[in-house]
Amino acid sequence: MRSQDENGRANHEAGMAGGEEMEMVEVSSEMRRRHQRPRKEEAEETEEPMSVEQVFEGKRVPGWREQLTFRAFAVSFVLAVMFSIIVMKLNLTTGIIPSLNVSAGLLGYFFVKMWTSVLDKAGLLKQPFTRQENTVIQTCVVAAYGIAFSGGFGSYLFGMSETIAQQTTELNDAQNVKNPKLGWMIGFLFVVSFLGLFALVPLRKIMIIDYKLIYPSGTATAHLINGFHTPQGAKLAKKQVKTLGKFFVFSFLWGFFQWFYTAGDNCGFVSFPTLGLKAYENRFYFDFSPTYVGVGMICPYIVNISVLLGGILSWGVMWPLINNQKGKWYPADLPSGSLHGLQGYRVFISIAMILGDGLYNFLKVLLRTISSFVSVVQKRGATSTLPVLDDGSPITTSPAVSFDEERRTELFLKDQIPKQVALGGYVVIAAISIITLPHIFPQLKWYYILVAYIIAPVLAFCNAYGSGLTDWSLASTYGKLAIFTIGAWAGADHGGVLVGLAACGVMMSIVSTASDLMQDFKTGYMTLASPRSMFVSQVIGTSMGCVIAPCVFWLFYKAFKDIGISGSEYPAPYAIVYRNMAILGVDGVSSLPKNCLTLCYIFFAAAILINLLRDLAPKKIAKFIPLPMAMAIPFYIGSYFAIDMCLGSLILFVWELINKAKADAFGPAVASGLICGDGIWTLPQSVLALAKVKPPICMKFLSRNMNDKVDTFITSLS
């Protein structure tokens, strides 16, 4: 869900050897001499609010080994399973995955706090719960459930399967198909998911301290964790957890209740024609999904409105008009799922918008990254001097260093990860991967992988730097770049589709994991967590994810037989999108239906133009301009989830009008409860399906005429 890159300057890393640690201590001492620390008493006397680190100044910071506790990883494992199930469900339904960091942080804090409270009452508590340990949990959980996204279970990995290939008419032969198996999926993730952890480690000081990149998600997570561990924050967190628990139970029980009415296809509340049968045929209806109501409460208003506008434009206007050209633009006797018919327009126009949006944002972030990088180099190259001495000689000046910044920098430089470990780890894992991957995918030659691994650190750096500035991760964009380049290099006769999808996975995993690690370093920097504990936690979390995510996907795959089929409960829309991108990269555009290519050009250009207007327009106007990427999502799967999301937005909007402070404090908890409860219900639902326990009732809606025919038929039988 993210991907970041680092800055490629050859700066000296502090603290890798003993002498360097001494140098760090001397620098720290000099900083203290230059900057007088305001103590708590001084802050109270002047009645000025204390900074974050002044609040925690009297508390001991545990060593990096003390931050890595058994209870932290036990809680992380439970939460990793929970959030992997939720992300997998989102992956396989719409592909829209909101940030779950608040939920992970809140639940991690709650579980360990409950653990320590029990031990404390029993007199067995040996180590208190600190914000550094909380950061370790957050890092581990996010790393683990991040694999459920970057592993491609709803995109490139599942796009290799026969289920998805059969929905296309091009290049669906044996050498371009690989069905999911638990063994090879776990092996694949293990050999590609760790490279990103080593790619950018040598540049962490440059990115976090020298360039002071913001990393908005990492910064927000740090503020959340710091807040939990203040007295006021602890009280609020307790109330938030209670609210989350209430809506979790409601959402879980609602999922259980709905299950009783889903005995057949298109049965139950998920197929309720709330806006009428005609609207239902065009996928406009409210499907009573707590998950997407919760997602709508988390996502910005403009995202939800953009999704709804995209649904209206496509299913309300374009597809009915194109359907009227049946027999002229495409043969009238084609099956509904054929990409030579209406389905082709749905898939390829959405791909055009996604690529247009991705290209624009890639170039935008790249140009901003280069501009910012050059600016920083120029500033660091120029010496700031003022001629203040009698002899006219200059005195070098430096900006004042805040207490928080001094404290955080001192501890961030204390526990370093040697460059030899980072570079050696990258080379060793890359070598293992180059040897192993051709055994998993025989079509993926070793030299394709070698080229990808040579290029990957550069792309990872660009993405990490851009993400530090904008919080915009372009991991999927780099993955698509690999689809088109390496897939076309392999060619149609040598399994180019499978090669492109596998190369996409390699590139996405590296760039996404590197991004996560840099965000974690920023969080650790602001919570005084050691870089070593962050790195170890990320490694353990990634290891968990490489096992948990494939197992969760395998559960879905075995429990729901129509997974990946258009119109089913789990259509996996991005799987067919990614596969068709690979086909385009290998086979070109010759197989597209009539006028489809022209429409693709129009929507590709429209995506770029809309993004340009958003950037050039004043902020007051820009906030009302829709997002092309969000608009493209319902083009293929319909608008039903957009209505759920807009309902979530409406609930939050009204709540903010009534009591904004309460909505800001408890809105994320309510949304998280709705998402988590409905997501976790999927686990017992899957178990029931595997045990062949079927719901007792089918609730289906028919038109009056169809109902009369059914009644007549039943009467004739009796």
Side-chain angles (χ1 to χ4, degrees), residues 189-200 422 425-431 433-434 437 449 453 456-457 506 509-511 513-514 542:
L189 290 175
F190 264 107
V191 296
V192 302
S193 296
F194 291 91
L195 273 166
L197 299 181
F198 293 93
L200 301 182
Y426 189 88
V427 172
V428 170
I429 295 175
S433 184
I434 289 170
L437 284 177
I449 309 165
Y453 286 164
V506 170
S509 295
I510 295 173
V511 178
T513 310
T542 301

Side-chain angles (χ1 to χ4, degrees), residues 92 259 551-563 569-570 681-694:
L92 297 172
W259 175 80
C551 290
V552 170
F553 174 76
W554 195 246
L555 180 66
F556 276 81
Y557 188 67
K558 288 297 182 181
F560 306 105
K561 299 303 180 185
D562 58 354
I563 187 171
E569 185 179 0
Y570 298 103
W681 160 247
T682 309
L683 186 59
Q685 184 186 13
S686 303
V687 173
L688 290 171
L690 289 171
K692 301 191 182 301
V693 177
K694 295 184 178 180

Side-chain angles (χ1 to χ4, degrees), residues 40 133 144 208 221 295 352 362 369 404 457 464 486 556 646 653-654:
K40 290 184 181 181
E133 187 180 357
I208 304 299
T221 302
V295 169
F362 170 74
T369 299
D404 283 9
I486 298 182
F556 276 81
C646 285
F653 179 74
V654 173

Side-chain angles (χ1 to χ4, degrees), residues 593-648:
K594 185 179 180 181
N595 296 320
C596 184
L597 183 59
T598 302
L599 290 171
C600 288
Y601 286 145
I602 292 170
F603 279 88
F604 181 87
I608 294 175
L609 181 61
I610 292 170
N611 274 303
L612 188 62
L613 288 175
R614 281 182 56 83
D615 287 338
L616 296 179
K619 287 185 178 179
K620 291 182 179 179
I621 299 174
K623 66 182 181 180
F624 295 108
I625 299 176
L627 302 167
M629 181 71 79
M631 291 179 67
I633 295 169
F635 272 50
Y636 172 61
I637 58 177
S639 304
Y640 58 92
F641 69 95
I643 295 172
D644 300 345
M645 291 172 67
C646 285
L647 178 61

Side-chain angles (χ1 to χ4, degrees), residues 565-578:
I565 304 297
S566 178
S568 67
E569 185 179 0
Y570 298 103
Y574 278 102
I576 194 166
V577 165
Y578 271 69

